[in-house]
Amino acid sequence: MQDQDQHIASAYDRDLEAIQAMILKMGGLVEAAILDGARSLESRDVELAEKVRRGDRAIDEIEERVNEEAARVIAIRAPVSRDLRVILSVLKLAASLERVGDYAKNIAKRTTVLVEMRPITGADATLRRMAREVEIMLKDALDAFTQRDVDLAMDVIHRDHDIDQMYNALFREFLTYMMEDPRSITACMHLHFVAKNIERMGDLVTNMAEQVVYIATGSMPDDTRPKADKTAYATEAE
Amino acid sequence: MQDQDQHIASAYDRDLEAIQAMILKMGGLVEAAILDGARSLESRDVELAEKVRRGDRAIDEIEERVNEEAARVIAIRAPVSRDLRVILSVLKLAASLERVGDYAKNIAKRTTVLVEMRPITGADATLRRMAREVEIMLKDALDAFTQRDVDLAMDVIHRDHDIDQMYNALFREFLTYMMEDPRSITACMHLHFVAKNIERMGDLVTNMAEQVVYIATGSMPDDTRPKADKTAYATEAE
């Protein structure tokens, strides 16, 4: 499997596995934060929102430990070529996870603001469905990482298009609500941010799936994924 | 200066300088993208916006080269402890710059959308001033990086508070416009995104300044900077 001395290869593999275990733990916390964040928003549950906000610290701490551990492994194992690239890719996975966690925290923060405003019927449930889709994408991206499963990673990449479509539909819905009833403007502005946060989470999970393809194959996937941004902006411009 | 053999230390220093030069080049392009993006928005200059959108590719390419070069340096020089941490920090600087460049591109994209809508008097000029402030912060963060100037980096970190205040003022301004005239809602939604993009750029430049402090001193700055998010959300909730 490795061109190196078997003993060294094994020590490196064990180190890498330890880092991967941290990524999976981090991923589990981020998945929970996405679901809890969306749930706190839908049910205007300030306590749950507070839990998500507090929980973000644990996610950040794991990222720091991944960074430290990766630096330690690079320093003592001096991996080259493919091994080094895998470690650097894993650092990117951790950085993306940390940002997804931040977005979940932002959603929870909006809950504490929105609890004072009258609800926008329908939008909350759509946002929760959208968050649920992203959480499944993240779960699959992590599974693809563990299994080095390129097909599953590519599937995640393609599903990002659905998230973008849900976002575009919501954007138009919010415009309609605001024009019909100016009293809903402030709440809609906040909910629109939540929608945008979830759409960005989808982009980050897509980046993670691309890194997984890179880790498994040594090259990034063909640039054939639907250009999310273009769609979004074109639709918003209508 | 280094505990290692002088010859090796010099080779490493030269490699590091080459990477730093790439960061500075990348930073220059990102600075220009911020200013051009904001200028294209204010003057509804679709051609300039198109230039910013096309120019983002060059920024992404330098980031890729920084990643490759850092991997090469780690592989052949096997730096440890402080040296390794500096290289990993520089990778983070490059990643932050790439994201600031993306936000500038997003602003340029909004220009092509907003050109079809009637202008919101005053907001465009405020947005350009805000973008200009962030560009100066970035310039100073890059200078602080080159000079390993902790004081300048700390100054950048503190200035992020001003950006957050400008964002909060704009948020309330947009709410007022939308409530007064529902026909302005769509344009305000887009301009609000631009404001949020600039505010996020400020956060990223602040992260960069924190990395500079880390590179120069070996530890992150005390967690005393004003909590941007809390302010923003508290004000938005009013």
Side-chain angles (χ1 to χ4, degrees), chain A residues 156-172:
Chain A
V156 170
I157 292 167
H158 291 303
R159 268 183 275 159
D160 189 41
H161 190 56
D162 301 337
I163 304 294
D164 292 333
Q165 283 188 325
M166 290 169 99
Y167 166 74
N168 286 330
L170 265 176
F171 181 89
R172 283 192 267 192

Side-chain angles (χ1 to χ4, degrees), chain A residues 91-148:
Chain A
L91 285 178
K92 281 183 196 276
L93 287 183
S96 293
L97 274 177
E98 191 270 334
R99 284 171 62 199
V100 175
D102 271 354
Y103 282 125
K105 184 178 71 174
N106 282 348
I107 292 173
K109 279 183 183 171
R110 299 278 166 188
T111 297
T112 55
V113 172
L114 280 157
V115 76
E116 310 290 342
M117 301 173 195
R118 38 198 220 115
I120 307 294
T121 319
D124 294 335
T126 309
L127 287 170
R128 188 181 39 73
R129 272 199 304 279
M130 212 172 142
R132 171 78 182 140
E133 288 300 317
V134 169
E135 184 265 339
I136 295 172
M137 280 171 67
L138 174 56
K139 191 184 159 299
D140 287 344
L142 292 167
D143 282 349
F145 171 56
T146 317
Q147 316 284 337
R148 305 288 194 265

Side-chain angles (χ1 to χ4, degrees), chain B residues 16-28:
Chain B
L16 192 60
E17 270 169 35
I19 294 176
Q20 288 186 182
M22 284 190 240
I23 295 282
L24 295 182
K25 189 179 171 191
M26 200 178 163

Side-chain angles (χ1 to χ4, degrees), chain A residues 67 71 74 84 92 99 109-110 167 178-179 186 189-190 192-193 196-197 200 229 233 236, chain B residues 67 71 74 84 92 99 106 109-110 178-179 186 189-190 192-193 196-197 200 229 233 236:
Chain A
N67 282 333
I74 292 172
L84 178 58
K92 281 183 196 276
R99 284 171 62 199
K109 279 183 183 171
R110 299 278 166 188
Y167 166 74
M178 289 193 281
M179 288 183 194
T186 309
M189 292 276 277
H190 287 290
H192 182 206
F193 262 132
K196 192 73 190 170
N197 281 350
R200 287 223 170 95
D229 263 334
Y233 285 89
E236 283 176 28
Chain B
N67 282 334
I74 293 171
L84 179 58
K92 282 183 196 277
R99 285 171 60 198
N106 281 348
K109 280 183 182 171
R110 300 278 166 189
M178 290 193 281
M179 287 181 195
T186 309
M189 291 277 277
H190 287 289
H192 181 207
F193 262 131
K196 192 71 191 170
N197 281 350
R200 287 223 169 96
D229 263 335
Y233 285 90
E236 285 177 25

Side-chain angles (χ1 to χ4, degrees), chain A residues 53-114:
Chain A
R53 292 172 70 162
R54 276 198 315 271
D56 191 54
R57 187 174 289 269
I59 295 169
D60 292 350
E61 280 170 4
I62 301 182
E63 196 212 353
E64 274 173 42
R65 270 169 43 216
V66 168
N67 282 333
E68 284 165 15
E69 185 61 15
R72 196 187 65 83
V73 171
I74 292 172
I76 63 169
R77 307 281 173 223
V80 292
S81 64
R82 190 178 167 280
D83 287 346
L84 178 58
R85 277 161 201 273
V86 168
I87 291 215
L88 295 177
S89 289
V90 168
L91 285 178
K92 281 183 196 276
L93 287 183
S96 293
L97 274 177
E98 191 270 334
R99 284 171 62 199
V100 175
D102 271 354
Y103 282 125
K105 184 178 71 174
N106 282 348
I107 292 173
K109 279 183 183 171
R110 299 278 166 188
T111 297
T112 55
V113 172
L114 280 157

